[in-house]
Every structure is written in structure tokens, then in C-alpha cells.
Amino acid sequence: MKEEITYDIFDKVDIRVGTVISVKKNEKARKPSLVIEVDFGKEIGIKQSSAQITHYYNEENLKGKQVIGVCNFAEKKYCWSGFASFDFRFN
């Protein structure tokens, strides 16, 4: 188990539900992955991420699904992906 956190820390996490609007293969990735765009609505907008989930999802069966995302994580810039990435959970 990871380190226990207080409610005050948890309260800072901005968890939202969004809808996958675009999925394509990440041609720049070293391992098979997908570039995913998720619409979190007017307040947050569209966020993009790359995920190594090709064993479970493809370009057809992921589009339109709802995902859970932490919208206030600091962005990560991967030199091989060519864009800033945010973290999502796919269920």
C-alpha cells in the first residue's frame, strides 16, 4: 500500500469524468500505445494522453467511452511522444 494521506491532501485532487473523443496509434512511442483525447467539458476542455493499453483497447472500441481523470496533475512532457500528457484511468 502507498503512503497514507490526509483528507486535506485528497481534497486537492480534481477528479473528473470525461468522454474519449479521439483515439489514434502513437507512432512515436517505443512501445505500442494510443494517443487519446478526452473531453472534460467546458470548464476543463480537452486533454490528451498517451497510454500503453493496446492489449485491452484499440482505436474503435475506446472512442465514446467515459474515463476518470485527475485534471490537476502537473503535465508530463515525453520527448518521444511530442506532446504533454495527462493521466487517466480507463474502466
Side-chain angles (χ1 to χ4, degrees):
M1 186 166 95
K2 293 190 177 185
E3 179 184 346
E4 189 175 276
I5 62 172
T6 64
Y7 180 78
D8 290 338
I9 293 171
F10 175 75
D11 193 41
K12 294 178 183 179
V13 180
D14 187 5
I15 301 172
R16 306 273 179 124
V17 175
T19 303
V20 176
I21 59 170
S22 171
V23 182
K24 59 186 174 186
K25 290 180 183 175
N26 188 344
E27 302 294 340
K28 296 180 182 179
R30 289 173 275 171
K31 296 181 180 180
S33 62
L34 300 172
V35 175
I36 301 151
E37 288 187 327
V38 178
D39 186 352
F40 286 100
K42 289 183 181 182
E43 186 178 347
I44 301 294
I46 296 171
K47 299 263 188 182
Q48 181 173 271
S49 188
S50 179
Q52 294 176 358
I53 56 173
T54 55
H55 290 295
Y56 308 103
Y57 297 102
N58 58 45
E59 295 163 86
E60 292 82 34
N61 68 9
L62 189 55
K63 191 172 179 180
K65 287 205 180 280
Q66 290 196 309
V67 296
I68 298 170
V70 176
C71 292
N72 61 339
F73 271 144
E75 67 181 42
K76 297 178 193 175
K77 181 85 172 182
Y78 298 103
C79 59
W80 50 263
S81 70
F83 61 86
S85 182
F86 294 86
D87 291 327
F88 305 118
R89 292 286 173 230
F90 299 88
N91 295 318

